Amino acid sequence: MLILALVVWVTGASSGIGEELAYQLSKIGALLAISARREDELERVKKKCLQISNLGEKDILVLRLDLTDRSSHEAATNSVLKHFGKIDVLVNNGGRSQRSLFVDTNLDVYSAIMELNYLGTISLTKHVLNHMIQRKKGKVVTVSSVMGIMGAPLASGYCASKHALQGFFNSLRTELTDYPEISIINICPGPVQSKIIQNVFTENLAKSIENSGDQSHKMPTDRCVRLTLVSTANDLKEAWISDHPYLAVCYLWQYAPTWAWWLMNRMGKRRIQNFKSGVDADASYSRKKK
Ligand SMILES: NC(=O)c1ccc[n+]([C@@H]2O[C@H](COP(=O)([O-])OP(=O)(O)OC[C@H]3O[C@@H](n4cnc5c(N)ncnc54)[C@H](OP(=O)(O)O)[C@@H]3O)[C@@H](O)[C@H]2O)c1
């Protein structure tokens, strides 16, 4: 029996969740296109994929991609199609978070966050979806966030971009009812170990964060990715992937918003105080690893 391997295109594959997705996908034999801006980091990821899997050199395509350069997205899609002949799964993972108060933040930052997290993602999706519609099959997996469900201080632009993604993909799904084999899957992780804090947007585009903090309270990257792949295999429309207490807050936000706002105001106040005093904004939730 001939089994054709799935072709999966992962954006933001040079670090964090996207990097781990590349490792776990390569181990199960998926053919990979891995994208981000830093080609040297993608080559490092490819090298490790080749070491831990049975894939060969041509089974992994390193494709430099800047999500904010929307004019390049059609050519990038064509490159993946030329190399593999099809795209079964697009994982929209590339993105950046935010650590700054709205009152202190330049509006350029809000524009950049939406350009990257929202417009960049839907632009790439548009090109890949044309191909999936022709084939009448495919999966579009988008790494949103629990911040796409709730609101939180110091991340108003990030939350807005993830809410935009949630609204967009939930609407797109309703436009694809004639294509039952095209799945739109929204993944909503809580805090996960990655480089996300080192790379956050701050008050202005030139400033980077001084204190990226400790990651011990966050979900290990491999667990988040495993649950993402299980959700993808099962075509879940939305998956909340988080440990408590963040997961409990999601349920509160969904089913008892008045309590959620009360709790969020208390937690948020502490978060802002930590941030203003220069310690990790999430220091209160951090715990020592056992
Ligand atoms: N970690 C968490 O706690 C968490 C929670 C919920 C959701 N998420 C989401 O998970 C996704 C991955 O984040 P992560 O946590 O793995 O963070 P990360 O380690 O900082 O990785 C972010 C990835 O996005 C890429 N990227 C950034 N700007 C880009 C651009 N302009 N064009 C193309 N790629 C770009 C980066 O690559 P280059 O710099 O090489 O371009 C990198 O590969 C993001 O969408 C994030 O919002 C993360």
Side-chain angles (χ1 to χ4, degrees), residues 18 84 98 100 107 136 140 145 147 149 151 206 218 241 281:
F84 291 116
Q98 177 192 11
S100 59
L107 219 57
K136 295 191 167 57
V140 179
S145 169
M147 298 294 188
I149 299 163
K218 298 183 177 184
I241 298 178

Side-chain angles (χ1 to χ4, degrees), residues 17 188-194 215-228 240-244 246-247 287 289:
I17 295 172
C188 301
V192 175
Q193 293 170 5
S194 77
Q215 302 219 41
S216 60
H217 63 292
K218 298 183 177 184
M219 180 182 276
T221 329
D222 59 347
R223 176 158 171 78
C224 170
V225 166
R226 184 170 158 66
L227 294 174
T228 297
W240 299 353
I241 298 178
S242 181
D243 290 325
H244 289 305
Y246 312 97
L247 188 58
R287 56 176 185 263
K289 274 195 184 129

Side-chain angles (χ1 to χ4, degrees), residues 69-86:
D69 179 9
R70 282 186 266 141
S71 65
S72 70
H73 293 179
E74 185 173 8
T77 306
N78 290 337
S79 300
V80 180
L81 290 175
K82 192 171 168 210
H83 191 85
F84 291 116
K86 61 170 185 167

Side-chain angles (χ1 to χ4, degrees), residues 11-12 36-37 65-73 92-95 115-117 119-124:
T11 70
R37 290 165 303 173
L65 178 87
D66 185 342
L67 281 166
T68 65
D69 179 9
R70 282 186 266 141
S71 65
S72 70
H73 293 179
N92 287 316
N93 169 72
E115 190 61 54
L116 170 58
N117 292 359
L119 286 172
T121 298
I122 71 164
S123 161
L124 193 63

